[in-house]
C-alpha cells in the first residue's frame, strides 16, 4: 500500500551550520536523495510510495510490475477489477466478444475462452430447431439427425403433433402416416387410407385391391377387366348397360 515520507529532520552543528534532510520510512532513516524507487531509481522524496518485500516503489512502477493485468488491453488494473474466465479485466474492457456491448443482468456465456452476451451466444452456438430455425433453449426432441422444439416436431403438411405415435421420414422431414403416403403417392384413391400391402394401379391411381370396384354395382374389379368412363371404373356388364 502507498505510504508517505514521514518528514524532514534538520540538524545544526555547534560551530558550523549544516542542514541534513532525512526521511523515515520502512522502519529506517534515509538521506532524501537515497530514498529511491527500487525499479527506476528515481527519488521518491515525500511522494506516496508502495512497499513490497521490504523495498519501496514509485506508484507507476509498482502498478506496472505487481498490479494485475487486463486481459483485453494488458494494462495494469489499479482500481475496480473483474475476474472472469480465469483472467482479470478492467470493468469497461469486459464485454461481449461478438457485439462489443457490456454485459447486462443476464451475465455472460463462455465458449472457447471467450465471453458472449446471451443473445449472441444463442445466435452463434445454440442448436437450431429443425422446424422454426430458432435457437433451442430448453427441452427438445432429437430426430432425423436434428433437434426440434417439442411444439415444432409435427407433420410437415397438417401440422398435427404425433402424440407418441410413429412419424414417417420423407426427404428428412417428419410426416404423419397419411401425408407420408400422400407424398409418395401411395394413398388409396377410394378410401384415402395408406396402402401398405398389395395394391392395384389403374387410371393413374392406386387402390387397395378390395376398394377397386365398379362405380355402379360395387363389384370388385381386376386391373384388366374394367372399363373407364368419366374417370370412374365399371365392370363390363354395367358399362354396356349404362353407356351402350
Amino acid at each position: 500500500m502507498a505510504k508517505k515520507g514521514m518528514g524532514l529532520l534538520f540538524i545544526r552543528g555547534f560551530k558550523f551550520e549544516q542542514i541534513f534532510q532525512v526521511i523515515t520510512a520502512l522502519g529506517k532513516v534515509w538521506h532524501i536523495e537515497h530514498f529511491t524507487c527500487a525499479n527506476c531509481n528515481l527519488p521518491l522524496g515525500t511522494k506516496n510510495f508502495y512497499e513490497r518485500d521490504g523495498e519501496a516503489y514509485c506508484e507507476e512502477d509498482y502498478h506496472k510490475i505487481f498490479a494485475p493485468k487486463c486481459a483485453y488491453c494488458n494494462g495494469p488494473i489499479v482500481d475496480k477489477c473483474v475476474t472472469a474466465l480465469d483472467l482479470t479485466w478492467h470493468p469497461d474492457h469486459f464485454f461481449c466478444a461478438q457485439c462489443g456491448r457490456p454485459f447486462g443482468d443476464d451475465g455472460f456465456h463462455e465458449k472457447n475462452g471467450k465471453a458472449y452476451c446471451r443473445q449472441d451466444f444463442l445466435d452463434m452456438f445454440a442448436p437450431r430447431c429443425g422446424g422454426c430455425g430458432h435457437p433451442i433453449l430448453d427441452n427438445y426432441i432429437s430426430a432425423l439427425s436434428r433437434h426440434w422444439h417439442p411444439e415444432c416436431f409435427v407433420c410437415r403438411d397438417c401440422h398435427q403433433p404425433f402424440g407418441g405415435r410413429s412419424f414417417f421420414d420423407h426427404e428428412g422431414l417428419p410426416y404423419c402416416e397419411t401425408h407420408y403416403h400422400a407424398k409418395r403417392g401411395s394413398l388409396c384413391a377410394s378410401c384415402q387410407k395408406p396402402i401398405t400391402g398389395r395394391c392395384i394401379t389403374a387410371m393413374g391411381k392406386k387402390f387397395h385391391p378390395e376398394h377397386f370396384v365398379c362405380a355402379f354395382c360395387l363389384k370388385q374389379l381386376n386391373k384388366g377387366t374394367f372399363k373407364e368412363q368419366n374417370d370412374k371404373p365399371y365392370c363390363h356388364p354395367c358399362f354396356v348397360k349404362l353407356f351402350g
Side-chain angles (χ1 to χ4, degrees), residues 24-167:
T24 302
L26 307 180
K28 301 176 183 178
V29 179
W30 311 73
H31 289 120
I32 192 168
E33 66 272 16
H34 293 159
F35 187 58
T36 60
C37 172
N39 185 63
C40 68
N41 293 319
L42 292 176
L44 295 172
T46 57
K47 297 184 296 185
N48 289 350
F49 68 93
Y50 285 79
E51 184 270 340
R52 179 88 173 207
D53 297 329
E55 294 189 295
Y57 295 86
C58 66
E59 193 168 359
E60 181 179 353
D61 283 346
Y62 182 86
H63 291 314
K64 184 189 302 181
I65 299 170
F66 301 112
K69 299 296 189 296
C70 174
Y72 177 75
C73 69
N74 202 39
I77 302 173
V78 299
D79 197 355
K80 293 181 180 179
C81 174
V82 173
T83 301
L85 309 179
D86 296 323
L87 299 169
T88 51
W89 315 73
H90 290 116
D92 54 344
H93 286 168
F94 187 58
F95 45 72
C96 175
Q98 179 66 15
C99 68
R101 290 192 294 267
F103 300 114
D105 294 337
D106 288 334
F108 70 92
H109 298 263
E110 183 271 338
K111 183 74 173 182
N112 299 328
K114 294 183 178 180
Y116 297 89
C117 66
R118 176 179 173 82
Q119 187 60 54
D120 284 333
F121 180 83
L122 296 177
D123 288 344
M124 297 172 68
F125 304 114
R128 297 280 172 170
C129 175
C132 68
H134 293 153
I136 297 175
L137 311 181
D138 203 346
N139 296 331
Y140 65 88
I141 292 173
S142 181
L144 305 176
S145 301
R146 281 183 269 180
H147 300 305
W148 311 74
H149 293 118
E151 64 273 17
C152 293
F153 190 62
V154 295
C155 174
R156 194 70 173 182
D157 273 2
C158 67
H159 306 293
Q160 293 300 309
F162 301 110
R165 294 176 286 110
S166 298
F167 66 91

